[in-house]
Amino acid sequence: MIEVTKALEIVAANSSTLSTQKISVRKALGYILAETIYSPISMPPFRQSAMDGYAFIHSRRHQFDVVGISQAGDHANIKLKENHAVRIFTGAYVPKDADTVVMQEDVMVNGDSILIAKMPEPFANVRSKGEQINAEDVVFDANTLITPAAIGFLACLGITEITVYKKPKVAILVTGNELVQPGKKLPKGKIYESNSLMLQAALQTIGVNKIKVHTVKDNLKATKKALQSILKKNDIVLISGGISVGDYDFVKEALLKNGVEELFYKINQKPGKPMFFGSKKDTLVFALPGNPASSLTNFYIYVYPAVKNKMGFSNTHLPKIIRKLDSEIVNNTGKTLFLKALYNETSVTILEGQASSMLNSFAIANGLVIVPHDIENIKKGASVTILPID
């Protein structure tokens, strides 16, 4: 059994980023850039009006003759004199001689002439060429997460393909004779299977969508056979249950018989002690505890950073924040505790229902409070470290 810090080091040392691929920008949401992108054009590519109004040469004059119109998509370079103005619309080309746009709300119109009632400052409401970015400037550095706004920005620059790190293929293997799928009648002695749905949802929050769920009965032969196929086809394998020391826990033996190298087994923590971490070639294997709260805790602590590392994220772990504790914590276990909690801007409350089987408190928690294994008591009002999970 190892300490949490050592387990984290081993996971990090064995989690390598996947290879790259070219992908359409329209399908790139949630991917990490594997290259620095440079702008092929300036944006805007010409001087644009920021308002519906009139473009003119700024002076002391207030009255102008309207000599033309500039709509979005036009490129009529109308020559202006000091007493001329051009009717213009948002996003339209600003004629070369004009330097200012007045909002239409500040103008009185009389036939083909206008009177500016409220004179704007010089150069007002004109977007300069390259105001957002100039041609050949860096759009995004490598290792940038592609967000909806990033997709929009790339598209407005005319970029259609980018190179990104691949997302991992993940398999979830659920073990247990006692499990019944939700929606079916629940016989005596059975429970509904929830871990696969929970783990899929947790993976989706990171941006992983290539997930397959497999089920297997509690026997060595079936478990070994299922793993043989799964290990060949996936980058990460998550196993739910069957990793403790009961008579019907066959996962560890089946993994070893399939050539998976054991990197550690059992962690000095609560909940989530009975976890196996191993690898076979480039495939990572996390055999998680069957108890739901233990399984999800270990997902956030160990699986989450491994998945993000595979995807090319530079910051892989959940962030850490500090809050003041509103009650005392006693830790007489000698283990690192991960306590479900609710925090706000100033303080944190430890929730009831900390048992490894309880998801009701996890469902309302927005953080996990970390209590180190060598800390026996934390007084009310003391500062504690929290991993946000909201």
Side-chain angles (χ1 to χ4, degrees), residues 325-379:
L325 191 62
D326 69 2
S327 62
E328 184 181 25
I329 295 176
V330 176
N331 179 17
N332 53 18
T333 66
K335 303 177 185 297
T336 297
L337 304 182
F338 295 100
L339 302 176
K340 293 161 277 187
L342 273 173
Y343 70 90
N344 55 32
E345 291 299 316
T346 58
S347 64
V348 60
T349 300
I350 305 300
L351 297 172
E352 294 183 0
Q354 294 293 332
S356 60
S357 60
M358 292 184 174
L359 280 180
N360 55 341
S361 52
F362 226 139
I364 62 172
N366 63 0
L368 293 172
V369 169
I370 306 172
V371 182
H373 69 95
D374 54 355
I375 300 295
E376 295 183 358
N377 183 275
I378 305 178
K379 298 294 186 183

Side-chain angles (χ1 to χ4, degrees), residues 56-57 61-66 82-85 113-114 116:
F56 64 101
I57 302 169
R61 180 183 299 275
H62 280 250
Q63 190 162 353
F64 298 84
D65 295 328
V66 179
E82 276 201 4
N83 65 326
H84 289 169
S113 68
I114 61 168
I116 298 177

Side-chain angles (χ1 to χ4, degrees), residues 50-318:
M51 297 286 177
D52 291 346
Y54 295 84
F56 64 101
I57 302 169
H58 198 281
S59 67
R60 294 184 178 182
R61 180 183 299 275
H62 280 250
Q63 190 162 353
F64 298 84
D65 295 328
V66 179
V67 296
I69 185 169
S70 181
Q71 301 181 49
D74 287 348
H75 194 270
N77 191 17
I78 302 167
K79 292 188 177 182
L80 299 182
K81 296 179 180 178
E82 276 201 4
N83 65 326
H84 289 169
V86 170
R87 179 73 167 116
I88 199 165
F89 298 92
T90 303
Y93 174 81
V94 176
K96 182 179 179 181
D97 297 323
D99 59 19
T100 306
V101 172
V102 60
M103 295 188 295
Q104 61 186 21
E105 294 89 340
D106 295 334
V107 170
M108 291 185 290
V109 180
N110 183 14
D112 290 333
S113 68
I114 61 168
L115 179 67
I116 298 177
K118 184 180 178 182
M119 180 64 69
E121 293 294 319
F123 313 111
N125 304 316
V126 176
R127 300 169 182 157
S128 59
K129 179 180 177 180
E131 183 180 68
Q132 287 192 65
I133 193 169
N134 286 306
E136 299 184 7
D137 282 354
V138 173
V139 182
F140 295 121
D141 290 318
N143 300 113
T144 297
L145 173 66
I146 301 301
T147 63
I151 288 175
F153 192 34
L154 291 166
C156 82
L157 297 174
I159 297 170
T160 59
E161 281 191 335
I162 53 176
T163 301
V164 298
Y165 292 106
K166 293 178 179 178
K167 291 185 179 183
K169 295 179 181 178
V170 180
I172 300 172
L173 178 62
V174 180
T175 71
N177 295 337
E178 76 280 13
L179 301 176
V180 175
Q181 289 301 308
K184 295 184 178 180
K185 185 177 179 180
L186 190 65
K188 288 183 179 180
K190 303 286 188 179
I191 60 172
Y192 285 122
E193 194 280 303
S194 60
N195 283 3
S196 65
L197 289 173
M198 177 181 71
L199 293 171
Q200 283 182 84
L203 287 163
Q204 287 164 1
T205 65
I206 313 175
V208 178
N209 44 36
K210 294 179 180 178
I211 310 166
K212 286 192 176 181
V213 176
H214 309 262
T215 59
V216 67
K217 295 296 183 180
D218 284 327
N219 71 73
L220 178 59
K221 184 178 179 180
T223 306
K224 180 184 173 184
K225 183 178 179 181
L227 284 168
Q228 188 176 23
S229 173
I230 291 170
L231 288 165
K232 293 177 181 178
K233 299 176 181 178
N234 295 278
D235 303 298
I236 296 177
V237 176
L238 306 183
I239 304 168
S240 173
I243 196 56
S244 192
V245 291
D247 291 344
Y248 297 96
D249 292 324
F250 299 108
V251 167
K252 182 181 177 182
E253 185 178 356
L255 287 169
L256 297 177
K257 286 182 179 295
N258 271 292
V260 174
E261 178 188 1
E262 178 183 331
L263 297 170
F264 65 76
Y265 176 53
K266 294 186 180 179
I267 313 163
N268 189 34
Q269 69 177 61
K270 186 178 181 181
K273 171 185 171 182
M275 189 185 96
F276 174 100
F277 174 62
S279 66
K280 184 174 183 179
K281 296 182 179 179
D282 293 328
T283 299
L284 299 183
V285 179
F286 295 87
L288 303 171
N291 277 322
S294 294
S295 184
L296 190 56
T297 296
N298 283 7
F299 176 89
Y300 284 125
I301 306 303
Y302 305 105
V303 180
Y304 179 96
V307 172
K308 293 193 77 174
N309 204 330
K310 286 281 188 186
M311 294 172 66
F313 281 86
S314 51
N315 296 317
T316 58
H317 290 273
L318 288 168

